[in-house]
Amino acid sequence: MRTLYTFFRSSTSYRLRIALALKGLDWEPRFVSLPNMAHRTPDYMALNPQGLVPALVEDGKVFAQSLAVLEYLDETHPEPPLLPGDASGRAYVRGLAQVIGCDIHPLNNVRVLKYLKARWQLSDDDASEWYRHWIAEGFRSFEETLAASGLSGSCCLGDTVTIADICLVPQVANARRFLCDLAAFPLSVAIADRAAALPAFEAAHPSLQADAF
Amino acid sequence: MRTLYTFFRSSTSYRLRIALALKGLDWEPRFVSLPNMAHRTPDYMALNPQGLVPALVEDGKVFAQSLAVLEYLDETHPEPPLLPGDASGRAYVRGLAQVIGCDIHPLNNVRVLKYLKARWQLSDDDASEWYRHWIAEGFRSFEETLAASGLSGSCCLGDTVTIADICLVPQVANARRFLCDLAAFPLSVAIADRAAALPAFEAAHPSLQADAF
C-alpha cells in the first residue's frame, strides 16, 4: 500500500491526489494539518526532513517534492502517460508545470505569507496584495506561453491531460480562494475548468478530503 | 547551433551553462542584462513571453524554465547522464534539485527582492534578512535530506554529477554573494565545492562569462 501525507488545502498535495486518481492507484491518506504545524513535529520531520507536504511513501521509501513525485508516478505507472512522447513536448509541458511550481506557488505558500506578516507586521490585506501580485504575473506568463505556442486544445497541450494541467487546476482553485481576478487569463482558466470537471480531478478536490474543514 | 539567453549572475542561467559544458555541447550566448531590464523588452518577450532568463533556442524552438531545459538536454544528449537510471533515484535527485529550484531560488530571485523593497520600502538590510531566512531554511532542508538518505558521496547521489549538483553549485555561490553563513550545512557545501572545481562547472562560473562586470 502507498501512503500520501497530505493536507486538503495544500495545492501541492492536490497535484498528487489528481495524479494518483488518474493512474487509478490506491492510497491511504495521513493527514498533516498545516495550521496545527503538524508538518514540523519531530515524527513528521523524521519521515520528511524537509518539513513540507506532500510526501509519498511507497515500498518503504519516502518521496518529497510534488513535481518529482509526479514524474515518479508517471515512470512507475506509465498509463495514462502524464507527459508527451517527444523530448520537446516534454520540455514544454514541464516548463508550463514549472511556471506554476517555481514561479507562482513558492511565493504564495502559506509559510511565506506567514513570514511576511510576522516579520514586517504586514496586514492580511498586504499579504493578499502580495499573493495577487504573483498570481497576476505568473498567470500572465502561463497564459502568454500557452497563447504563443498555439499548442493548447482542451488541455494545455492538445487534448491530453499532462502534469501542466495537474499543476494548473490547484493553482486556479487557490487563486479563486484568494479572490484573484483571473479575467485576463481566459485560456488558462477555461483549460483548468474543463480539467477540474474530469472524475480524477473531482475526486482530488480539497472539499472532498476527509481532513477538509 | 544553439543559443542560450543568459545573464552571468543568474543562477538559473548558470545551471544551464554547467549542463551544456558537461554534455560538451556548443552554444552561442545572447546576453540579457537583468539590471537593464533586457528580459522585459518587446523583442525578448516575443521570444520568451515569460520574461525571464534563461531561454534555450535549438532548432528554432524556444525552451524556458531551467529545470525543464536540464531534462531536455539530458534526454536529447544522454551522455553523460544527469539523472540516475532507476525511478526512485531519479525521484530523489529531482527532489533535491527542486528543494533549490522551488523552495529556495524563487523566493530569493532579484524580482522578489525588488518588489519587497519597492512595495513596502524595505531596506537593503531587510532584503538581505529575507534572503538569508530562506537560504537558512532551504539549506537546512537540503542538508537534512542528504544526511537522512545517506546516499551522498563526492556528489549529492554517490560520486556522479546529477541535476542536484548542477542546482546546488549556483545556489551556494549566490548564498555566498549575499554573505550567508553556511556553516550549518557542511555536507552540502563540501559537495558544492568539489563539484565547482570540475572543469565544466568552472567554465560556467559567472565571473568567466563575457557579460560579467
Side-chain angles (χ1 to χ4, degrees):
Chain A
M1 180 49 87
R2 67 183 61 76
T3 304
L4 182 69
Y5 288 78
T6 171
F7 179 60
F8 76 106
R9 204 181 270 151
S10 145
S11 65
T12 50
S13 302
Y14 190 178
R15 293 174 194 164
L16 296 195
R17 296 193 304 258
I18 295 168
L20 289 162
L22 284 167
K23 300 283 187 184
L25 299 174
D26 289 331
W27 55 282
E28 276 181 1
R30 290 283 182 283
F31 301 118
V32 182
S33 167
L34 301 189
N36 291 349
M37 296 301 285
H39 56 305
R40 293 290 166 146
T41 59
D43 278 1
Y44 187 72
M45 297 288 279
L47 180 97
N48 177 11
Q50 297 177 25
L52 298 169
V53 290
L56 180 76
V57 181
E58 199 175 78
D59 301 329
K61 288 187 176 168
V62 182
F63 299 100
Q65 294 292 337
S66 64
L67 295 176
V69 181
L70 289 176
E71 300 255 357
Y72 173 77
L73 290 172
D74 203 38
E75 291 182 356
T76 52
H77 300 87
E79 293 301 327
L82 303 180
L83 285 167
D86 62 305
S88 97
R90 279 193 296 277
Y92 176 67
V93 163
R94 286 180 175 130
L96 284 174
Q98 289 164 19
V99 170
I100 294 166
C102 301
D103 292 345
I104 302 179
H105 175 263
L107 292 160
N108 287 344
N109 218 319
V110 170
R111 64 178 188 155
V112 174
L113 302 179
K114 272 182 156 174
Y115 183 83
L116 284 170
K117 290 198 271 189
R119 178 60 191 86
W120 289 306
Q121 295 82 48
L122 297 188
S123 65
D124 285 344
D125 283 350
D126 288 332
S128 292
E129 182 184 329
W130 163 274
Y131 187 98
R132 288 180 195 142
H133 173 79
W134 298 113
I135 285 288
E137 171 53 14
F139 273 88
R140 181 206 61 71
S141 171
F142 195 92
E143 180 85 3
E144 290 182 19
T145 302
L146 282 183
S149 79
L151 297 172
S152 65
S154 60
C155 297
C156 288
L157 177 62
D159 299 315
T160 306
V161 168
T162 64
I163 62 169
D165 306 287
I166 291 173
C167 290
L168 178 61
V169 166
Q171 190 62 70
V172 166
N174 239 1
R176 285 181 171 145
R177 195 160 68 82
F178 278 79
L179 307 176
C180 297
D181 181 1
L182 301 177
F185 322 114
L187 199 51
S188 308
V189 169
I191 289 169
D193 285 345
R194 274 191 299 265
L198 298 173
F201 284 73
E202 282 199 328
H205 194 274
S207 65
L208 295 182
Q209 308 312 304
D211 61 334
F213 56 79
Chain B
M1 180 49 86
R2 68 183 61 76
T3 304
L4 181 69
Y5 288 76
T6 173
F7 178 60
F8 76 105
R9 201 181 272 150
S10 145
S11 66
T12 51
S13 302
Y14 191 178
R15 294 174 193 165
L16 296 195
R17 294 193 305 258
I18 295 167
L20 288 162
L22 284 166
K23 300 283 188 184
L25 299 173
D26 289 330
W27 55 282
E28 276 180 2
R30 291 281 183 285
F31 300 117
V32 183
S33 165
L34 301 189
N36 292 348
M37 296 300 285
H39 55 306
R40 293 289 167 147
T41 58
D43 278 0
Y44 187 73
M45 296 288 280
L47 180 97
N48 176 11
Q50 297 176 26
L52 299 168
V53 290
L56 181 77
V57 180
E58 198 176 78
D59 301 329
K61 288 186 174 168
V62 182
F63 299 100
Q65 295 291 336
S66 65
L67 294 176
V69 180
L70 288 175
E71 300 254 359
Y72 173 77
L73 290 172
D74 202 38
E75 291 182 357
T76 52
H77 300 88
E79 293 302 325
L82 302 181
L83 285 166
D86 62 303
S88 95
R90 279 192 295 278
Y92 176 67
V93 164
R94 286 180 174 130
L96 284 175
Q98 289 164 19
V99 170
I100 294 165
C102 301
D103 293 346
I104 301 178
H105 175 262
L107 291 160
N108 287 344
N109 218 318
V110 170
R111 65 179 187 153
V112 174
L113 302 178
K114 271 182 155 173
Y115 183 83
L116 283 170
K117 290 197 270 189
R119 177 61 191 85
W120 289 305
Q121 294 82 46
L122 297 188
S123 66
D124 285 345
D125 282 351
D126 288 331
S128 292
E129 183 184 329
W130 163 273
Y131 186 99
R132 288 179 196 145
H133 173 80
W134 298 113
I135 285 288
E137 170 54 15
F139 272 87
R140 183 207 60 73
S141 171
F142 195 91
E143 181 84 2
E144 291 183 16
T145 301
L146 281 184
S149 79
L151 297 172
S152 64
S154 61
C155 297
C156 289
L157 177 61
D159 299 315
T160 307
V161 168
T162 64
I163 61 169
D165 307 286
I166 291 173
C167 290
L168 178 61
V169 166
Q171 189 62 70
V172 166
N174 239 1
R176 284 180 172 146
R177 194 160 68 83
F178 278 79
L179 307 175
C180 297
D181 181 1
L182 301 177
F185 321 114
L187 200 50
S188 308
V189 168
I191 289 168
D193 285 344
R194 274 192 299 265
L198 299 172
F201 285 74
E202 283 199 326
H205 193 274
S207 64
L208 295 182
Q209 309 311 305
D211 61 334
F213 56 79

